[in-house]
Amino acid sequence: MARKKHTGLPTPEQILRFIEESKDAVGKREIAKHFALHGNDKIALKALLKDMTDEGLVDLAPGRAFHKHGGLPRVTVLRVAAIEGSNVWAVPERWEAAGPAPRLRVIEQGRKGALGVGDRILARTEERGSGHVAHPMKRLQASAEMVIGVLVEEKSPGGKPMIWLRPADKRARYDFAVADKGDADIGDLVRAELTGRGAAIKAKVVDRIGDPFAPRSLSMIAIARHEIPHVFDGETIAEAEKAAKLPLTPDGREDLRELPIVAIDPVDARDHDDAVWAIPDEDAGNKGGFRAIVAIADVSFYVRPDGALDREARRRGNSVYFPDRIVPMLPETLSAGVCSLKAGEDRAAMACHLVIDRHGKVTSWRFTRALVRLRANIAYEHAQAAHDANEAREGWDADVLPALRNLWASWALLAKARAARDPLDLDLPERQVILDEQGAIAEIRVRDRLDAHRLIEDYMIAANVAAAKALEAKKSPVMYRIHEPPSREKLVGLKDYLETFEQSFALGQVITPAVFNRLIDGFSGDDRLPEIMQAILRSQTQAYYGPANAGHFGLALGSYAHFTSPIRRYADLIVHRALVDSWRLEVPGKVRDLPARTGLGEADAKGLSRIGEAISALERRAMEAERETVDRYVAAYLATKTGEIVIARITRVQPFGFFATVDGLGGDGLMPVSTLGSERFFYDEAARTLDSEHGRASYSVGQRLELRLMDANPISGALRFELPDAPEGGFRNRPPRRDGLKKAGKDKAGKHMVGKRGRPANIRHKGRKR
């Protein structure tokens, strides 16, 4: 890049432009050289760069190199995160910007020695298309590994008490001896650094997180392990309090306060995003049809673009729901306060007006900003009971029951249209953990699926489709909710699996959701139906957010966006802002120190791809954290039942054993092949079975059997089983090594030798036939 002639101190804009255009790392020396600065100008440059850093215009990367705030340094340290086929993917070792760290494809041209997962490299980064690539400069030494876990105390074989770190990761096979516990106590959740190698690995506690076994605290493990932000800073709280004071008037809003609009939610809901209303259409041209309103909390009125609230909401991406707490996307002043649609209180709403014909087709829609005052907040169970009995609950206004009748009648039409569309119908059970007032586990059960749930779901789908199509009609940017059809590779895997059930699956047919629904219907009443539905679920792609429409395969819809939950999903807030712009829905409501604009804005409109990628990753993080926490509560519940016989169902079969879940409760536990007896076992990959050498035993996915629960670990959520007739101590009476090393040889019974590759000697692998 050509050097500038000396013209005095550059402006911040000139420095930013130089940093962005430079292909190499840019430090103070490079900036001074480029702008031909000398003497006092260099001193002034140092002060200017400090001001730019304090103002958030630039960040200072390791090595004293500057880069634009929130972006990737030109040269930085990366850690290899995944290897997918021939592609190597890495992430920044340090990332403090909003949203998840970006993934970079590593270009390994001319390098000696292949990179592996966990390797650290110094690399030059480059923006290419909508993503980034990394050009490795050199491989770096491994850094200390950080582990989240709980401190436990156990006696050594010599009787001496020892402190161990028990990892929170279910996949971890070993505890680690603690060399330094700092100020943490036994039972505390900690973040620790692993040092040493092999048998000398030790854990040093660097951070005490808290007591995960205190009432309503087990979710702390997932929060810490997944680094989920759960505390709002002072600036965000202050802005939320200012936003909550925004004057709410009918100016610029449609006044819907006289309509008997109701919200139907879980009984313990605190953040009420949505409410509904319907009435028979009096238009003679729509005989037998309905008019409906889906009223959604007008979060965009309170959370303005580019403010502290907006930055924090984007950093979180969504609310996270645990059995013991909610980690909200927005401070409670908004999420459970002025944004939440509560009965009897004036609330700002974004109203989606729908016209539904007698076939259940939505023929037209329009969007307004509105003022609503709900008649009632109703639990799903109460709405269902009122409809079934045709009887109002005590305390309801006189017009609530008629409003429910109209909602059900209108929903009957939407349900008819849904059936004609034939979307994917996977009725998978959802576990619900019930805690008592003290925070102890009262019950774990499968959540009931009522018509009231389906009613609200179909109204929300109709509004989501209307939002996507309304934006398309205005040629406005759309943050779509995208679910692509299954890949051929996944379909081949499903076909191979179904053949083990003597069920054919033609790969040449046009794959639609109806194809899978017919498959499900074919196993109706069959004990294997849950496994078939799980196999179909595994064959599906992961839904995500983005501006390039590819339809929603599962719902059998051509255009779909998320509009109905802006209190808990950032994607919905983006859609609301786009509607504000395209439908010209700005309303008065300026408060000092808050942005006046509530629409999307040009910068975010152009950056939807980047935003969609970030919030999709945050959604996956939340789902994994929620699932892990339910598993931990299940393990805590079952910990009082160790040694008992339970009815279990095999969910996965692998060469090293099978995984099973407890019927009616869930959880996930390993049954190691080494505990199955002294016979050799063959693993059939295609059939997903473990078969004993002499045919005495066979274990397959979906099989129900009695197992003895030997261990339930609330720290990781892992369960461990044995056969009911296993000898005391199991077939392999040898505790796992704590140093993480595999050792070739025999156990005390002289059986089940572990070879150099770690495969038990009673396993033979039978690959798929070609």
Side-chain angles (χ1 to χ4, degrees):
M1 186 178 293
R3 188 181 303 178
K4 300 268 187 185
K5 290 183 179 180
H6 177 59
T7 56
L9 197 66
T11 65
E13 290 75 19
Q14 288 173 318
I15 292 175
L16 284 172
R17 192 178 307 117
F18 172 57
I19 291 172
E20 291 179 357
E21 293 175 355
S22 176
K23 295 181 179 179
D24 300 310
V26 175
K28 183 165 68 74
R29 179 182 299 177
E30 287 73 24
I31 296 172
K33 184 177 179 180
H34 177 73
F35 290 100
L37 303 182
H38 305 284
N40 290 334
D41 283 343
K42 282 189 175 183
I43 298 173
L45 174 65
K46 182 178 180 180
L48 175 59
L49 290 172
K50 184 181 185 304
D51 289 343
M52 291 177 66
T53 304
D54 292 342
E55 291 172 19
L57 296 176
V58 294
D59 290 327
L60 188 60
R64 313 300 293 175
F66 291 96
H67 62 96
K68 188 176 179 181
H69 175 70
L72 271 171
R74 293 294 184 193
V75 176
T76 191
V77 177
L78 304 175
R79 184 185 295 274
V80 176
I83 298 176
E84 301 169 356
S86 60
N87 291 325
V88 177
W89 298 92
V91 295
E93 188 165 65
R94 290 177 56 194
W95 184 255
E96 298 176 357
R103 293 208 324 165
L104 298 88
R105 185 166 61 86
V106 179
I107 309 297
E108 291 191 275
Q109 294 176 352
R111 284 192 52 79
K112 292 182 180 179
L115 291 170
V117 173
D119 283 352
R120 300 171 70 237
I121 56 173
L122 182 68
R124 180 171 59 83
T125 67
E126 176 191 351
E127 191 168 351
R128 187 176 291 182
S130 59
H132 294 83
V133 297
H135 303 277
M137 298 165 66
K138 65 178 180 179
R139 194 191 302 248
L140 303 175
Q141 289 185 341
S143 63
E145 181 182 356
M146 303 299 291
V147 175
I148 300 290
V150 173
L151 296 183
V152 298
E153 186 176 58
E154 293 180 357
K155 289 184 177 180
S156 67
K160 180 182 177 182
M162 290 187 65
I163 299 175
W164 299 89
L165 176 69
R166 183 153 295 163
D169 189 342
K170 188 184 292 187
R171 297 165 297 181
R173 297 177 60 192
Y174 310 102
D175 298 341
F176 299 98
V178 175
D180 181 1
K181 71 179 184 70
D183 62 353
D185 296 321
I186 302 302
D188 280 348
L189 180 67
V190 300
R191 183 178 287 105
E193 178 181 87
L194 299 185
T195 58
R197 302 182 65 181
I201 292 178
K202 301 289 184 182
K204 177 184 177 182
V205 174
V206 298
D207 182 27
R208 177 188 179 275
I209 300 170
D211 179 5
F213 301 112
R216 298 185 177 273
S217 296
L218 206 52
S219 59
M220 286 174 55
I221 299 176
I223 290 170
R225 197 167 104 75
H226 293 278
E227 298 181 343
I228 295 172
H230 64 290
V231 177
F232 291 101
D233 61 29
E235 184 184 7
T236 303
I237 293 293
E239 186 174 311
E241 290 173 352
K242 288 178 183 176
K245 296 176 182 177
L246 280 165
L248 186 58
T249 69
D251 293 344
R253 294 185 179 276
E254 183 180 18
D255 195 339
L256 301 177
R257 286 177 290 182
E258 296 304 314
L259 296 181
I261 301 174
V262 298
I264 304 177
D265 289 298
V267 67
D268 56 351
R270 297 178 63 196
D271 49 353
H272 303 281
D273 285 282
D274 56 85
V276 287
W277 170 87
I279 194 170
D281 196 349
E282 296 177 355
D283 186 345
N286 189 31
K287 188 175 181 180
F290 277 78
R291 289 187 295 115
I293 294 175
V294 178
I296 306 299
D298 188 3
V299 176
S300 64
F301 177 65
Y302 296 100
V303 181
R304 308 294 175 97
D306 304 323
L309 270 171
D310 183 51
R311 289 193 297 271
E312 184 64 17
R314 185 179 298 190
R315 187 167 79 99
R316 296 179 178 221
N318 45 253
S319 298
V320 189
Y321 293 83
F322 297 113
D324 53 29
R325 76 182 71 195
I326 298 172
V327 179
M329 184 179 78
L330 301 172
E332 289 200 5
T333 308
L334 300 181
S335 61
V338 296
C339 288
S340 187
L341 303 181
K342 296 181 179 179
E345 298 185 20
D346 287 359
R347 286 292 186 260
M350 187 77 77
C352 173
H353 294 256
L354 303 171
V355 176
I356 304 166
D357 71 14
R358 61 191 180 90
H359 303 293
K361 181 181 178 181
V362 177
T363 57
S364 67
W365 51 80
R366 65 183 176 90
F367 289 85
T368 65
R369 268 186 153 147
L371 194 60
V372 298
R373 184 184 297 152
L374 269 58
R375 284 295 189 279
N377 293 104
I378 308 172
Y380 284 112
E381 295 81 359
H382 298 160
Q384 188 69 53
H387 171 264
D388 293 347
N390 195 26
E391 184 176 328
R393 285 178 63 85
E394 186 177 349
W396 281 3
D397 288 350
D399 51 3
V400 171
L401 185 61
L404 286 180
R405 292 195 196 104
N406 282 335
L407 285 171
W408 245 270
S410 176
W411 171 61
L413 303 181
L414 291 174
K416 185 192 301 184
R418 180 188 180 102
R421 204 172 69 242
D422 206 4
L424 186 58
D425 188 17
L426 285 176
D427 191 11
L428 295 168
E430 180 185 353
R431 291 173 295 166
Q432 184 178 16
V433 178
I434 309 297
L435 304 180
D436 61 22
E437 292 181 359
Q438 287 72 43
I441 304 168
E443 182 185 1
I444 296 177
R445 65 188 182 203
V446 174
R447 194 184 297 271
D448 291 333
R449 176 83 167 144
L450 306 172
D451 278 351
H453 291 98
R454 297 182 178 91
L455 175 146
I456 292 299
E457 183 179 290
D458 281 336
Y459 278 111
M460 298 306 110
I461 289 173
N464 287 336
V465 171
K469 291 187 174 180
L471 290 171
E472 288 173 345
K474 301 277 188 179
K475 302 190 184 306
S476 298
V478 188
M479 180 67 84
Y480 291 102
R481 178 63 168 179
I482 302 162
H483 182 223
E484 297 181 7
S487 66
R488 180 172 177 80
E489 181 183 7
K490 292 277 192 179
L491 293 174
V492 169
L494 178 63
K495 178 179 183 295
D496 291 342
Y497 175 66
L498 291 173
E499 285 177 352
T500 66
F501 292 86
E502 298 182 350
Q503 173 70 48
S504 62
F505 186 82
L507 294 176
Q509 64 185 315
V510 176
I511 301 298
T512 65
V515 170
F516 296 112
N517 290 339
R518 288 197 298 270
L519 187 58
I520 292 168
D521 291 342
F523 282 85
S524 179
D526 193 310
D527 287 343
R528 298 170 296 179
L529 179 60
E531 282 66 52
I532 296 297
M533 289 196 291
Q534 285 290 346
I536 292 172
L537 179 63
R538 286 193 297 270
S539 74
Q540 303 301 304
T541 59
Q542 179 82 46
Y544 63 94
Y545 296 104
N549 188 22
H552 197 295
F553 175 82
L555 292 175
L557 293 168
S559 297
Y560 194 65
H562 274 166
F563 159 77
T564 55
S565 298
I567 291 178
R568 61 185 178 90
R569 287 190 307 229
Y570 194 79
D572 303 54
L573 180 54
I574 289 286
V575 170
H576 277 232
R577 288 173 176 167
L579 287 166
V580 168
D581 287 341
S582 62
W583 286 71
R584 299 180 180 177
L585 299 177
E586 285 286 6
V587 296
K590 185 175 181 180
V591 169
R592 185 180 176 185
D593 299 329
L594 285 180
R597 178 172 55 86
T598 65
L600 187 59
E602 186 178 353
D604 280 349
K606 291 180 178 178
L608 286 188
S609 180
R610 173 179 47 82
I611 296 171
E613 183 179 336
I615 59 179
S616 296
L618 292 170
E619 177 191 42
R620 291 191 291 271
R621 179 182 71 175
M623 291 170 63
E624 188 175 348
E626 291 168 350
R627 184 170 56 248
E628 285 180 7
T629 301
V630 172
D631 281 349
R632 289 187 177 99
Y633 269 103
V634 168
Y637 183 75
L638 290 172
T640 61
K641 303 179 185 299
T642 53
E644 296 183 11
I645 303 298
V646 297
I647 304 299
R649 176 171 50 83
I650 297 176
T651 56
R652 284 181 292 156
V653 176
Q654 297 290 337
F656 51 81
F658 62 77
F659 291 87
T661 185
V662 179
D663 258 8
L665 288 178
D668 190 38
L670 174 64
M671 182 79 178
V673 71
S674 56
T675 66
L676 295 180
S678 56
E679 274 194 89
R680 292 180 181 273
F681 278 78
F682 296 93
Y683 173 59
D684 189 323
E685 182 179 357
R688 303 183 196 179
T689 61
L690 279 173
D691 303 306
S692 66
E693 186 174 19
H694 300 295
R696 294 192 181 99
S698 179
Y699 301 99
S700 59
V701 172
Q703 182 178 342
R704 280 179 168 77
L705 69 171
E706 291 186 343
L707 296 175
R708 188 182 303 279
L709 178 65
M710 298 305 295
D711 186 40
N713 182 355
I715 298 170
S716 66
L719 309 177
R720 185 169 59 85
F721 300 108
E722 280 191 359
L723 295 175
D725 57 354
E728 187 175 352
F731 289 100
R732 295 184 66 189
N733 190 20
R734 178 166 61 87
R737 291 172 61 92
R738 291 193 182 269
D739 56 17
L741 297 177
K742 295 174 181 174
K743 182 178 179 182
K746 297 182 179 180
D747 63 10
K748 294 180 180 178
K751 301 175 183 177
H752 313 308
M753 196 163 80
V754 178
K756 292 180 180 179
R757 295 175 61 194
R759 181 182 295 166
N762 67 332
I763 273 289
R764 290 181 179 175
H765 189 281
K766 187 189 297 181
R768 185 186 303 157
K769 293 181 181 179
R770 300 288 181 186

